[in-house]
Amino acid sequence: MSIKPLIILPDPVLRQVSKPVERVDGDLRRLADDMLETMYDAPGIGLAAIQIGEPLRMLVIDLAKEGETPAPHVFINPEILESSEQRSVYEEGCLSIPDYYAEVERPASVRVKYLDREGKLQEAQAEGLMATCLQHEIDHLNGVLFIDHISKLKRDMVVKKFKKLAKDKAPGKMVG
Ligand code: GNR
Ligand code: NI
């Protein structure tokens, strides 16, 4: 297993639409393990494959708190079958947009189908933080970020800040 570097805003890789997984095999399970290790190291509660540069429709989630028994979940080719009319608001963050948080309103519960890490078709009903996290991760599979759900004014400010950070970090920009 290994910890992979995270792709950070404004890298255009984050805007790619990820491709369905065709085969759940050893290589894919290794990718899932790398994603979990990278997520735990960050630390975060979810990670989509594209955040480590793999444009595949796979995500991992673990909502267990520090000190609790880890509860890793792997979702392959997830699809939302049904979203509740009821909405809920959570303060979201994203490992690809470090240290920025904003409230996002989403359906409070979702029904999803997906393949598990054995390649078996599963269906699940999620609510609370799990529902929010699943929607945040499935957005990543479609090149969508949580800042796409906030006001344009706030989004433009965040993107501008991260563009500047990327520029300041770029090689050959050390003078000044
Ligand atoms: O670690 C994360 N926390 C979080 C909090 C509220 C809603 C969504 C998330 S997901 C995020 C990790 C991440 O960027 N996943 O793509
Ligand atoms: Ni994210």
Side-chain angles (χ1 to χ4, degrees):
M1 298 226 291
S2 53
I3 296 164
K4 305 288 185 184
L6 289 161
I7 309 282
I8 304 296
L9 190 76
D11 195 320
V13 166
L14 292 171
R15 295 307 190 174
Q16 284 184 28
V17 177
S18 294
K19 293 265 192 304
V21 168
E22 293 196 349
R23 190 171 294 103
V24 181
D25 57 10
D27 278 352
L28 194 83
R29 280 187 280 272
R30 256 184 296 283
L31 174 59
D33 288 341
D34 286 350
M35 287 169 61
L36 284 164
E37 196 179 358
T38 303
M39 178 185 77
Y40 291 135
D41 177 69
I45 59 172
L47 190 79
I50 195 64
Q51 292 180 277
I52 57 167
E54 285 287 345
L56 287 172
R57 302 189 79 81
M58 169 158 72
L59 61 94
V60 296
I61 292 177
D62 190 334
L63 301 182
K65 298 194 186 71
E66 221 187 294
E68 290 179 4
T69 313
H73 295 276
V74 178
F75 297 84
I76 299 162
N77 296 343
E79 285 177 46
I80 293 176
L81 301 172
E82 207 182 314
S83 303
S84 63
E85 288 298 319
Q86 197 190 328
R87 307 280 133 161
S88 67
V89 175
Y90 273 93
E91 177 155 270
E92 298 196 15
C94 182
L95 296 176
S96 297
I97 313 174
D99 303 314
Y100 180 74
Y101 304 90
E103 290 194 333
V104 177
E105 185 183 298
R106 300 180 186 270
S109 67
V110 290
R111 182 149 198 87
V112 291
K113 72 167 189 181
Y114 62 96
L115 302 177
D116 65 19
R117 54 174 292 145
E118 272 71 54
K120 192 169 165 241
L121 183 63
Q122 302 281 357
E123 236 181 86
Q125 178 81 30
E127 45 199 82
L129 186 56
M130 180 57 97
T132 287
C133 195
L134 263 172
Q135 291 172 82
H136 173 118
E137 304 310 340
I138 291 172
D139 271 355
H140 275 300
L141 309 186
N142 296 322
V144 174
L145 301 171
F146 84 94
I147 53 170
D148 299 336
H149 298 289
I150 65 179
S151 75
K152 176 165 160 53
L153 183 73
K154 284 190 194 169
R155 178 170 59 253
D156 288 351
M157 278 171 48
V158 179
V159 171
K160 189 175 163 190
K161 185 186 146 193
F162 278 83
K163 278 185 176 162
K164 182 163 168 23
L165 280 170
K167 197 173 151 199
D168 292 349
K169 270 209 299 189
K173 298 266 161 71
M174 284 297 286
V175 180

